[in-house]
Structures are given as C-alpha cells and as structure tokens.
C-alpha cells in the first residue's frame, strides 16, 4: 500500500545463469515459400530427440507428404480440429519425455489458421448472442448477409484462449517452431494509405514479441533474419540480414541451443492474484469490523432486548415513542441481529418491535370505535383503556417474560400458578393476569363478529370503520376493502419474488397448493418473508430501500410505487 517501504517477506537475490532459454522460433512467409519443408528437414537435426508435428487447418495438408523429406524424423499428433482438442494435443506433446536424452521439438503448422479459428469462434458467438437478445426483446434478428460487430469483451476472450496456447508452449523443455503466413499489404502513414508496400504477419499482433527469432521467407531458398534474441550470433541491430543456406539446425546452433537451460527461465504474470488479494483483504476487514461492533452487540443480548421492549410497552405515557427510542439507541441493523423468542414465535428484536408497534396502533383504532366503558369491560379491568394498554398488548409482560425464561432454560410461568415467585423483571401482579392476545391471531376479538376483519387486515391508510355493528347487508360493502388489502398483499408478494429472482407462482407455491390462500394466510406469509427480502436488499447495496421496506405497514398500498425504480432496473425471473 502507499507509504509502506519495508519488505513484507524475506527475499533472496541470485546471480544470472547466463544460459539461453529453449527457443521459440517463428517462420513466416507467403504461401508455398518453403516454411513447412524447412520444418520437416529440421526435424532430423542431431540436437533433437523427437519432433511432434501439430497440423492446424486442412487446406495445406503437408504433414504426411513431407514425411519423405530426406532426414525428416517426426510424428504427427492428431486432433479433431476444436480448440480444446488442439490445446490438449499441445499439452500431450509438452509432457513427452526426452528421447535418447535429447529434448523434443514441437512444430505448430500453422498459427495463422489457429488465430483465424479463434476469431471465427467469437464472430459466431457474437451472432448467436445478437439473435438471442433479439428474441428476448421480440424484435427482428441481425441480417444473415451482414457481419455482426464483435464486441471488445469477445476479442479479449479470443486473446485469452490464444494466450493459453502460448502459456503451455513456454513450459516446453525443447525448441518450439511456429509457422505463419505473411502477406504484402499497403503501408499506412498517419492512418492514410501510401504507395509503399509492407509485409504483415497474419496472426495475433503480439506474437513477434513472444518468440526468440523471426525468419522471413520471401521465396524458395530466400530467407531473412528480421528479429532475434541471442548472444551466440553476431548480428547488426536495426538491419534485416540475409540468412544464407538457412536450416532449422543452423538456427538452433546460432541461438545457443546446445547449452540451453532445461526449462524456460521466466516468471509469468498472474493477474488473477489481484482477486485473491481482494478476498484476503475482505477476510481481514471482516474480523476487524466484528471486533469494533462486538462490544456493542455483546451488550444487547436476547434477554436484555426483551426486557427493554417490555419496559417500553409498560410506559404509561407513550409506549410507541419508547419503542422507537430503542431503535434510535441501538440501531435497526443491531436489533435485526439479536434473536428473541416469545409466544409470537422466534424473530429478531427489530421484528418484535415492529409487531408491537402494529398492535399498539390496532388497539388505538379499536378504542376510537367503541366507548371507553365497553372497552374496559372487554379487557376485564375497570381501568381506562389508556392505562390498561401496557398489560393488554401482544408482547409485554407475559410474552416477554416467556422469552426471558427460554433464554435461561427455565420453566415458563403458568398463568394459574399463585405460589411461584415472580422474576426480577416482572411485577408480581402480572402472574395472575390472563395471557395477552396475539396481534397476529386468526380469530377476531370478542368485540367483533366473525364476518368482520381485524384492523391488521385492513389497509391502514383507509378511514376507521364506524362503531356500529356490521349488518349482513354491510358485509357486502366491506368486501372492496378486503379486495384492496388482498391486492396490496399480492403486490408485496410480487416485489418479494422480484427481489428473490423467482416467479410469483414459485414464491407463493407453499400456500397456493390447495387454491388461492386466505387473506390472513397471505398476510402471514408475506410478513414472514420480509426479513429475508430486507437482507437481500442490503446485500444488493440498497440500504435505503431496505429501511423503507422495514418501516412499511402491513399491508402497504403503495408498495409498488416505493419499489418502482428498483423493479425497473432489476431483471425478472422468466
């Protein structure tokens, strides 16, 4: 990293060996200029054990015929013409042991056809990708008579496949002879054509830099040395020299192959190591973040979170503000990681606060609909509705005490027990009170008829229902409200399916096997999957949207509007 000057590990330096590498030689020239003939004749050099000939492209087909060249001594490595089989043939040739203690030579005839094949592969793939994209967008595909543009990512893929070929050839302990075609083209100057002509190698443009010697054949028996890397040969820099009486054996000797190293002395670049470095840094940062957050997380355990929620629900003035104060103090993410267990089931402390807030709101709406005296009789106490709220919610006292009892592996307090000593966090008179109602229970409260829906099932942005009892004729008027709530829950189910990248049918499959689910069943199912969707949104770097969804009511009539931008840019499951 910047500013670090000390070495990070122990290192050693060494003196150079002075030995040349096993050479990679490139013979280029126009068609029928003698490249393959010289390669066949060079296979008989006494410096070589055996020569393995890999012929690519059936247009020439000289490998079998040139076996009758005087002194030729090579074997043909067969393949099926695909890239993977050609690559495997090279692997096989590289791993062949020396013959008579002498290294083997590999001949690739020719690399021009190999590069043309890699280019054709990407052109075919580009057309296939364009046709598939056209089908997905339901539009006309590309014109079969016109070429398709090959994107840069496909050219990079072709270069990677080409580089893998050279990577294996560099592992060869003997010489490698590459044959390529050369063509005469118009020379350009400042991107404009001139009257001059120049010679160009038909292969990947970085090939000349990868070899140790380049010999051009202008005609039969006319060879020129255009590039070489050697100290065993006195050459004039910057000049093209005529190579009199060329032969592969002479080229090997002038490159110092007699005293070459057993393997190529080179350290390959490893770009993939950058990904490993990023993974290591991420692994090191996670424990550090855990250590920074651990003191705060250790302070908030399941029993302590339950005690805080219980105390907030027993607040005689404003329990809703007390619950929100817990979120502000500890943070939503910390509360979401603290598990709690109560009569409502296993859930995080944040979900328990959400359920408590929803029930407080539902109870407040019920008190607005019924007279205070009637509400007091239904509660079984003579106190006012406001004062009895903490002891009649779905999660104070009894529910939270059950949570704490499970954490300490003790017997949960029984409502009928009169001699059991109270816990430290619960007042003594709460053991004799009946268990509080469940805010998510399917059965309607006693003050309602079975035909009515609970406050949790109604859209929370609609006006409260009138206080009068619903007559049979009024049940039909409430049906639109149920339909509005059902549609809002279905919209939220669609949002959850899109975030999980599944279809709505797959998402609602567990509750749709026997037909359309009921309103309460659909509500509980959607509520159950909220925590999973919130976690997926945070992993997708959408913390703001996750927080909005965490605070959304149940049901939320505006859920599609809140997720409109996310759904527009997110792919949908087919």
């Amino acid at each position: 990293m910047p500013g670090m000057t000390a070495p990070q590990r122990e290192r050693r330096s060494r003196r150079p060996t002075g030995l040349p590498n096993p050479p990679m030689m490139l013979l280029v020239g126009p068609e029928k200029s003698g490249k393959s003939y010289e390669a066949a004749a060079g296979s008989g050099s006494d410096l070589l054990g055996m020569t393995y000939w890999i012929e690519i492209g059936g247009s020439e087909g000289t490998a079998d015929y040139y076996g009758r060249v005087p002194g030729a001594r090579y074997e043909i490595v067969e393949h099926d013409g695909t890239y993977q089989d050609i690559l495997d043939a090279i692997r096989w040739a590289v791993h062949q042991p020396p013959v008579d203690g002498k290294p083997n030579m590999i001949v690739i005839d020719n690399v021009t056809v190999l590069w043309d094949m890699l280019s054709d592969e990407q052109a075919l793939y580009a057309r296939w990708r364009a046709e598939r994209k056209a089908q997905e967008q339901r539009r006309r595909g590309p014109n079969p008579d016109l070429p398709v543009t090959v994107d840069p990512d496909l050219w990079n893929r072709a270069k990677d496949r080409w580089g893998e070929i050279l990577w294996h050839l560099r592992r060869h302990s003997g010489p490698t002879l590459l044959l390529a075609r050369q063509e005469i083209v118009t020379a350009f100057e400042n991107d404009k054509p001139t009257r001059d002509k120049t010679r160009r190698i038909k292969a990947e443009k970085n090939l000349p830099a990868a070899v140790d010697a380049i010999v051009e054949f202008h005609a039969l028996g006319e060879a020129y040395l255009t590039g070489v890397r050697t100290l065993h040969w006195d050459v004039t820099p910057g000049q093209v020299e005529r190579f009199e009486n060329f032969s592969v054996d002479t080229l090997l000797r002038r490159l110092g192959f007699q005293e070459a190293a057993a393997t190529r002395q080179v350290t390959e670049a490893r770009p993939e190591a950058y990904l490993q470095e990023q993974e290591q840094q991420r692994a090191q940062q996670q424990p550090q973040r855990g250590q920074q957050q651990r003191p705060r997380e250790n302070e908030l355990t399941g029993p302590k979170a339950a005690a805080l929620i219980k105390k907030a629900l027993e607040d005689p003035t404003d329990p809703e503000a007390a619950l929100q104060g817990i979120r502000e103090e500890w943070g939503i993410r910390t509360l979401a990681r603290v598990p709690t267990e109560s009569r409502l089931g296993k859930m995080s402390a944040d979900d328990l606060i959400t359920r408590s807030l929803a029930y407080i709101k539902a109870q407040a709406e019920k008190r607005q609909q019924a007279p205070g005296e009637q509400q007091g009789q239904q509660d079984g106490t003579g106190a006012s509705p406001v004062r009895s709220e903490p002891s009649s919610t779905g999660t104070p006292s009894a529910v939270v005490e059950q949570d704490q009892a499970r954490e300490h592996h003790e017997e949960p307090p029984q409502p009928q027990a009169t001699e059991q000593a109270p816990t430290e966090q619960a007042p003594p008179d709460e053991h004799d009170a009946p268990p509080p109602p469940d805010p998510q229970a399917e059965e309607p409260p006693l003050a309602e008829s079975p035909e009515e829906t609970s406050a949790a099932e109604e859209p929370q942005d609609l006006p409260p229902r009138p206080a009068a009892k619903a007559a049979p004729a009024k049940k039909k008027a409430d049906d639109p409200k149920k339909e509005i709530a059902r549609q809002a829950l279905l919209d939220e189910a669609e949002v959850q399916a899109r975030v999980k990248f599944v279809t709505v049918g797959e998402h609602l499959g567990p509750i749709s096997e026997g037909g359309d689910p009921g309103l309460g069943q659909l509500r509980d199912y959607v509520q159950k999957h909220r925590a999973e969707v919130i976690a997926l949104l945070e992993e997708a770097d959408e913390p703001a949207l996750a927080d909005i969804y965490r605070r959304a009511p149940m049901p939320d009539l505006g859920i599609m509007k809140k997720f409109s931008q996310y759904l527009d840019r997110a792919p949908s499951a087919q």
Side-chain angles (χ1 to χ4, degrees):
M1 64 179 59
M4 185 177 296
T5 58
Q8 299 302 295
R9 65 185 181 89
E10 184 179 356
R11 296 187 175 277
R12 294 186 306 170
S13 60
R14 62 178 180 85
R15 293 183 178 275
T17 62
L19 301 178
N21 290 321
M24 294 181 64
M25 303 165 290
L26 177 62
L27 304 185
V28 299
E31 296 79 359
K32 302 173 181 62
S33 57
K35 304 184 297 295
S36 299
Y37 180 89
E38 293 295 342
S43 64
S45 173
D46 58 0
L47 299 176
L48 305 174
M50 177 55 67
T51 297
Y52 295 101
W53 193 294
I54 301 176
E55 187 175 39
I56 304 174
S59 60
E60 298 178 357
T62 58
D64 282 300
Y65 182 47
Y66 283 171
R68 61 192 300 175
V69 171
R73 182 167 44 87
Y74 62 86
E75 294 180 358
I76 301 174
V77 183
E78 296 180 346
H79 57 83
D80 61 7
T82 62
Y83 169 79
Q84 291 296 339
D85 206 45
I86 292 172
L87 181 63
D88 197 61
I90 293 175
R91 291 194 192 102
W92 181 87
V94 168
H95 283 80
Q96 293 308 301
V99 177
D100 297 332
K102 299 178 182 179
N104 304 321
M105 182 171 70
I106 297 177
V107 176
I108 308 294
D109 186 15
N110 63 51
V111 294
T112 298
V113 180
L114 175 61
W115 177 246
D116 289 343
M117 184 189 73
L118 296 177
S119 302
D120 293 341
E121 284 180 350
Q122 303 312 315
L124 292 173
Y125 187 85
R127 179 172 293 278
W128 174 81
R129 186 164 64 178
E131 292 175 351
R132 185 185 62 177
K133 187 175 181 180
Q135 292 177 358
E136 293 176 354
Q137 298 179 356
R138 296 182 179 179
R139 58 178 176 83
R140 182 179 299 177
N143 191 332
D145 298 329
L146 297 177
V148 177
T149 302
V150 181
D151 296 329
D153 66 311
L154 298 182
W155 283 120
N156 291 337
R157 183 181 301 179
K159 287 180 176 292
D160 290 341
R161 293 162 77 87
W162 171 268
E164 190 172 5
I165 294 284
L166 296 182
W167 187 88
H168 283 285
L169 291 175
R170 284 194 291 268
R171 265 90 199 130
H172 182 41
S173 59
T176 302
L177 191 60
L178 308 177
L179 310 183
R181 288 202 299 267
Q182 189 181 52
E183 56 186 2
I184 300 175
V185 296
T186 301
F188 280 73
E189 184 176 357
N190 297 328
D191 295 333
K192 294 182 180 180
T194 63
R195 295 182 178 181
D196 299 331
K197 300 294 182 180
T198 185
R199 295 177 180 271
R200 185 182 66 179
I201 301 174
K202 291 192 63 177
E204 202 273 330
K205 63 180 181 180
N206 295 319
L207 177 60
V211 298
D212 299 296
I214 304 174
V215 178
E216 293 184 1
F217 288 83
H218 293 181
L220 287 173
E222 185 181 354
Y224 294 86
L225 181 69
T226 60
V228 68
R229 184 186 297 120
T230 181
L231 298 177
H232 290 73
W233 193 356
D234 188 12
V235 295
T236 304
Q239 292 187 4
V240 177
E241 296 186 4
R242 177 72 180 265
F243 201 130
E244 300 291 348
N245 300 322
F246 172 82
S247 68
V248 174
D249 181 77
T250 304
L251 180 59
L252 289 173
R253 296 181 187 278
R254 292 187 180 183
L255 293 176
F257 177 63
Q258 306 93 315
E259 52 184 87
T263 58
R264 179 171 287 269
Q265 304 295 324
V266 63
T267 301
E268 298 284 351
R270 298 174 53 203
E272 74 281 357
Y274 178 71
L275 299 178
Q276 300 175 1
E277 179 183 348
Q278 295 301 313
E279 292 294 336
Q280 292 177 358
Q281 291 181 359
R282 188 177 295 106
Q284 293 174 359
Q285 291 174 359
Q286 288 179 353
Q288 294 176 0
R289 293 175 182 174
Q291 292 175 1
Q292 295 174 359
Q293 298 177 358
R294 191 174 297 118
R296 187 167 184 171
E297 291 181 358
N298 289 340
E299 294 175 2
L300 185 64
T301 59
K304 185 171 183 179
L308 291 175
I309 297 174
K310 170 180 174 293
K311 183 178 180 181
L313 287 168
E314 293 176 347
D315 191 322
T317 58
D318 194 349
E320 182 176 357
L323 290 172
Q324 294 291 356
I326 297 176
R327 276 181 169 166
E328 294 178 1
E329 179 182 358
W330 294 99
I332 296 177
R333 292 190 177 183
T334 301
L335 292 170
R337 288 193 293 265
V338 177
T340 61
E341 185 176 355
S342 65
R343 188 165 59 87
L344 302 179
K346 295 181 180 181
M347 64 185 72
S348 66
D350 183 66
D351 291 339
L352 188 59
I353 292 176
T354 301
R355 299 282 288 273
S356 301
L357 290 173
Y359 188 69
I360 289 174
K361 186 174 182 179
Q363 291 298 315
E365 292 177 355
K366 291 178 183 178
R367 287 195 302 273
Q368 293 177 1
Q369 297 170 9
E373 295 79 8
Q374 182 179 358
Q375 182 70 22
Q377 295 175 1
Q378 294 173 358
D379 294 339
T381 61
S384 63
V386 176
R387 292 298 179 180
S388 61
E389 174 66 19
S391 61
S392 60
T393 59
T395 51
S397 300
V399 176
V400 176
E401 286 175 359
Q402 284 183 351
D403 182 16
Q404 295 173 348
R406 290 190 186 95
E407 293 290 342
H408 294 284
H409 305 284
E410 298 176 357
E411 290 292 334
Q414 301 295 331
Q416 303 299 330
T418 56
E419 299 178 359
Q420 184 178 357
T423 60
E424 297 180 359
Q425 298 180 354
D429 56 345
E430 288 183 355
H431 290 285
D432 298 330
D438 187 348
Q440 298 296 324
E442 291 291 336
E443 295 80 12
L446 296 177
E448 297 179 330
S449 63
E451 291 79 11
E452 294 179 340
T453 59
S454 66
E457 293 179 353
E458 294 182 351
Q460 298 189 13
D461 54 348
L462 294 177
R465 295 176 300 177
K469 292 289 184 178
K474 191 177 179 181
K475 177 184 175 183
K476 193 172 183 180
D478 288 339
D479 289 342
K481 295 183 179 181
K482 291 185 178 181
E483 292 301 324
I484 293 175
R486 172 178 288 275
Q487 186 59 44
L489 292 173
L490 291 176
D491 290 343
E492 184 170 353
E494 180 179 355
V495 169
Q496 292 179 349
R498 292 286 298 276
V499 174
K500 297 171 63 176
F501 200 64
V502 296
T503 63
V504 180
E506 294 174 347
H507 180 52
L508 297 179
I511 61 173
S512 302
E513 296 179 355
D516 294 339
L519 187 61
Q521 187 181 12
L522 180 61
R523 177 205 62 208
D524 293 341
Y525 188 80
V526 172
Q527 175 73 25
K528 177 182 176 182
H529 285 79
R530 275 196 172 188
E532 180 184 0
V533 174
I534 291 172
L536 291 175
L537 290 172
E538 291 180 344
E539 292 179 2
D541 199 18
E542 296 285 350
L545 188 58
D547 188 60
I548 292 175
Y549 186 45
R550 185 181 289 107
R551 298 174 183 272
M554 173 62 71
D556 189 354
L557 300 181
I559 191 68
M560 297 300 290
K561 183 177 180 181
K562 295 176 181 178
F563 279 81
S564 59
Q565 295 183 356
Y566 175 84
L567 298 179
D568 290 342
R569 64 175 183 268
S572 61
Q574 298 297 328

